Amino acid sequence: MTKGKAAQMPATDTQRSGEASSGLGRLREAARRDRQLRFTNLMHHLTVDLLREAYHALRRDAATGVDGMTWQEYGETLESRLPDLHDRVQSGRYRAQPSRRIWLPKPDGRERPIGIASLEDKIVQQALVWVLEQIYEEDFVDFSYGFRPGRAPHDALDALYVGLSRQKVDWVLDLDIESFFDRIDHDWLMKFLEVRIGDPRVLRLIRKWLKAGVQDEEGTRTETQEGTPQGAVISPLLANVYLHYALDLGASRWEHDEAQGAMLMVRYADDVVVGFQSHRDAERFREWLTERLGKFRLTLHPTKTRLIEFGRFAAARRAARGEGKPETFDFLGFTHICSKTKKHGWFTVRRQTMKKRLRAKIRQVCEALMRHRHESVEKQGRWLRSVVQGHFNYYAVPGNKPSLETFRTEVIKGWLRALRRRSQRGQSFPWERLSRHVRKWIPTARILHPYPSQRLSVTHPR
């Protein structure tokens, strides 16, 4: 598999201070020295200082859990609350509260459940995540990118781009694990954790969060027998641990023992793309993976999991068979397309914003503009600048400028329609007047991310 590793991003000040004040660096050294070591005494790392740093690392404007406690309210008496919280955690008197369930719209019109933990649960979870990361960051495989310190979605995107462009990949298996976060088996998760974690108090603490359940808007509490609540601070780490043992380690062994040709894999949380040189390898891997995931109570989505012909020779082979262009696949918000460079005609991978995501974002912005059309133009402009710049910060990768310009143009059109609706006279806000505000507030579409080869240093195993 691809061994390329993204350049490590600097840790945040909170992470650095947390490691220094709590001796977490020494914990990581122990994990690095002995990959078989089980850690039997971890709770002493959950100090009052680490809980304080965890509190300050939380989002100030996050939604409240079932406790109704905001970040600001908790902070008013922080120094008296933290020792009490620390004492309850260390003595075992700490009780996890159910997550408040809300539903967020998805681009396809469906809704996905989000669990919002109470503030104290967030604090303790964040502190424990920092402790456990010192162990698991030494264990996790290199092709795992999701929700790990020093790694971002663009590191995964660039690793995939380089692997597809430079390795002998002719087939792509686009994997979709059906309802992964909702189907994590608690018993298997605890077994996986026990491989490295031998401290029973830490294991009991995690099981409390898993069993705390969810509470809906009517106040009805439901116990959870499987899954981890999406939105909980600790859920991404637990998901990575689960897939590390259920998928990553087995896939690495399969590549070493079974693959006949080149193979690459990139995983970001439960989004997985696997490339193969051989069609036979791809089919055999899918059969093996279906059986392996079934052992851990997971299934591949029958329609969203796709094996497609994708690579430098895909277009020529399909043309020889009288078929159309190679199929495309989506990963982390981008559609990946077989293409050629303009200058030399060499194979490359073109990435563009997923059309479904682009349309949904434009619709969302235009609807917000219409709701707030009576606010001042200056206030609307400041908001639009942050929205457009935020969109560009993620999607402004090389080759995607047409999608950026489409987004910018449609947002400007939506702004003009909203301003003209402020008056019964439809043309009372002329384009010439708006153009001055556009130049002032709306960023110009330009590429912000480097080429993947500049970000990554890749070593090919074959």
Side-chain angles (χ1 to χ4, degrees), residues 33-156:
R33 285 195 305 269
D34 187 352
R35 298 298 178 90
Q36 306 301 318
L37 178 64
R38 292 185 77 230
F39 293 85
T40 58
N41 187 14
L42 292 173
M43 286 295 286
H44 73 277
H45 290 288
L46 293 180
T47 63
V48 173
D49 287 338
L50 192 64
L51 294 174
R52 182 183 297 106
E53 291 168 8
Y55 164 79
H56 287 293
L58 299 178
R59 284 182 51 188
R60 274 68 166 163
D61 59 345
T64 60
V66 296
D67 59 347
M69 180 68 68
T70 67
W71 186 89
Q72 290 80 5
E73 290 171 344
Y74 196 88
E76 291 175 358
T77 54
L78 180 66
E79 295 309 317
S80 62
R81 290 179 182 271
L82 289 180
D84 174 67
L85 175 60
H86 176 263
D87 181 64
R88 284 184 280 127
V89 169
Q90 295 294 337
S91 65
R93 294 184 294 108
Y94 167 81
R95 294 290 180 266
Q97 299 192 57
S99 297
R100 182 170 71 89
R101 171 161 286 179
I102 62 173
W103 297 85
L104 296 182
K106 298 176 69 174
D108 58 6
R110 297 180 299 166
E111 292 183 322
R112 63 186 179 101
I114 295 293
I116 303 176
S118 66
L119 192 69
E120 287 196 335
D121 286 336
K122 292 178 183 178
I123 293 172
V124 181
Q125 287 182 21
Q126 180 61 77
L128 187 60
V129 164
W130 284 337
V131 173
L132 297 183
E133 277 179 348
Q134 309 311 310
I135 300 169
Y136 287 108
E137 281 302 306
E138 297 301 319
D139 291 355
F140 288 155
V141 297
D142 194 51
F143 57 77
S144 167
Y145 288 87
F147 307 110
R148 293 179 58 186
R151 293 188 169 210
H154 285 92
D155 297 319

Side-chain angles (χ1 to χ4, degrees), residues 3 11 23 64 94 109 163 212 214 245 275 296 300 325 335 361 385 394 441:
K3 307 297 183 184
T64 60
Y94 167 81
V214 295
Y245 290 100
F296 303 112
L300 294 176
K325 295 180 180 179
T335 299
K361 186 64 176 180
R385 179 170 60 185
Y394 186 80
W441 296 111

Side-chain angles (χ1 to χ4, degrees), residues 1 141 143 247-257 288:
M1 299 186 187
V141 297
F143 57 77
L247 173 59
D248 298 350
L249 294 182
S252 297
R253 288 192 296 268
W254 194 95
E255 189 267 345
H256 183 269
D257 298 337
W288 168 86

Side-chain angles (χ1 to χ4, degrees), residues 406-458:
T406 296
F407 178 74
R408 184 178 187 270
T409 299
E410 293 303 317
V411 165
I412 293 172
K413 289 180 180 179
W415 196 12
L416 182 60
R417 285 193 297 270
L419 291 174
R420 285 178 172 176
R421 285 285 302 275
R422 299 206 296 187
S423 169
Q424 294 182 356
R425 294 178 299 168
Q427 300 299 320
S428 63
F429 205 103
W431 164 252
E432 291 76 11
R433 181 181 173 187
L434 178 64
S435 62
R436 297 194 301 269
H437 297 288
V438 168
R439 288 192 297 270
K440 179 178 180 181
W441 296 111
I442 309 300
T444 302
R446 60 189 182 90
I447 301 303
L448 301 176
H449 291 274
Y451 281 92
S453 57
Q454 295 175 319
R455 190 195 302 268
L456 293 176
S457 174
V458 176

Side-chain angles (χ1 to χ4, degrees), residues 8 12 28 111 122 128 133 165 197 231 236 274 303 310 334 428:
Q8 295 294 297
T12 63
R28 186 158 190 165
E111 292 183 322
K122 292 178 183 178
L128 187 60
E133 277 179 348
S165 300
I197 310 303
V274 194
T303 58
F310 191 101
F334 290 90
S428 63

Side-chain angles (χ1 to χ4, degrees), residues 187-232:
D187 291 335
W188 272 115
L189 175 58
M190 298 309 297
K191 289 179 183 178
F192 293 151
L193 290 167
E194 288 169 6
V195 173
R196 283 291 242 169
I197 310 303
D199 189 331
R201 294 188 298 167
V202 170
L203 296 173
R204 282 197 299 269
L205 189 58
I206 294 174
R207 191 174 284 278
K208 285 180 181 180
W209 289 320
L210 293 176
K211 299 299 184 183
V214 295
Q215 182 172 304
D216 59 24
E217 295 180 355
E218 285 73 34
T220 303
R221 179 175 176 175
T222 304
E223 293 187 359
T224 50
Q225 302 301 322
E226 60 181 1
T228 62
Q230 296 189 55

Side-chain angles (χ1 to χ4, degrees), residues 181-441:
F181 283 92
D182 296 329
R183 294 188 177 181
I184 290 178
D185 184 87
H186 291 176
D187 291 335
W188 272 115
L189 175 58
M190 298 309 297
K191 289 179 183 178
F192 293 151
L193 290 167
E194 288 169 6
V195 173
R196 283 291 242 169
I197 310 303
D199 189 331
R201 294 188 298 167
V202 170
L203 296 173
R204 282 197 299 269
L205 189 58
I206 294 174
R207 191 174 284 278
K208 285 180 181 180
W209 289 320
L210 293 176
K211 299 299 184 183
V214 295
Q215 182 172 304
D216 59 24
E217 295 180 355
E218 285 73 34
T220 303
R221 179 175 176 175
T222 304
E223 293 187 359
T224 50
Q225 302 301 322
E226 60 181 1
T228 62
Q230 296 189 55
V233 175
I234 202 168
S235 288
L237 177 63
L238 297 181
N240 272 335
V241 170
Y242 201 92
L243 286 178
H244 174 72
Y245 290 100
L247 173 59
D248 298 350
L249 294 182
S252 297
R253 288 192 296 268
W254 194 95
E255 189 267 345
H256 183 269
D257 298 337
E258 302 291 337
Q260 301 298 311
M263 176 178 168
L264 72 89
M265 184 169 176
V266 175
R267 180 176 71 80
Y268 192 94
D270 60 332
D271 291 328
V272 190
V273 175
V274 194
F276 301 89
Q277 182 180 1
S278 163
H279 179 266
R280 183 170 178 270
D281 278 353
E283 291 286 7
R284 288 169 56 232
F285 180 82
R286 178 160 62 177
E287 293 175 3
W288 168 86
L289 184 60
T290 300
E291 181 179 350
R292 180 173 177 84
L293 291 180
K295 176 182 177 181
F296 303 112
R297 313 289 177 85
L298 299 175
T299 58
L300 294 176
H301 196 288
T303 58
K304 293 182 180 180
T305 295
R306 304 161 54 235
L307 177 60
I308 64 173
E309 197 169 11
F310 191 101
R312 62 182 67 252
F313 302 117
R317 286 197 304 268
R318 292 176 67 87
R321 297 195 300 264
E323 300 174 355
K325 295 180 180 179
E327 293 181 86
T328 64
F329 68 92
D330 298 327
F331 184 61
L332 299 183
F334 290 90
T335 299
H336 291 66
I337 306 166
C338 289
S339 186
K340 294 182 178 181
T341 61
K342 291 183 179 180
K343 186 174 182 180
H344 301 289
W346 296 338
F347 171 77
T348 188
V349 178
R350 182 161 63 89
R351 302 175 294 179
Q352 69 178 31
T353 310
M354 289 170 53
K355 291 182 179 179
K356 180 173 63 176
R357 295 268 184 99
L358 182 61
R359 288 193 295 266
K361 186 64 176 180
I362 291 171
R363 182 172 61 251
Q364 177 188 10
V365 173
C366 291
E367 289 174 354
L369 284 169
M370 196 62 70
R371 289 195 303 269
H372 299 282
R373 63 184 179 272
H374 293 293
E375 295 180 355
S376 69
V377 177
E378 295 287 311
K379 185 175 181 179
Q380 293 180 35
R382 283 192 297 271
W383 177 76
L384 276 178
R385 179 170 60 185
S386 66
V387 169
V388 174
Q389 189 62 61
H391 183 85
F392 288 173
N393 288 345
Y394 186 80
Y395 288 103
V397 301
N400 195 36
K401 191 172 182 180
S403 295
L404 304 180
E405 291 176 336
T406 296
F407 178 74
R408 184 178 187 270
T409 299
E410 293 303 317
V411 165
I412 293 172
K413 289 180 180 179
W415 196 12
L416 182 60
R417 285 193 297 270
L419 291 174
R420 285 178 172 176
R421 285 285 302 275
R422 299 206 296 187
S423 169
Q424 294 182 356
R425 294 178 299 168
Q427 300 299 320
S428 63
F429 205 103
W431 164 252
E432 291 76 11
R433 181 181 173 187
L434 178 64
S435 62
R436 297 194 301 269
H437 297 288
V438 168
R439 288 192 297 270
K440 179 178 180 181
W441 296 111

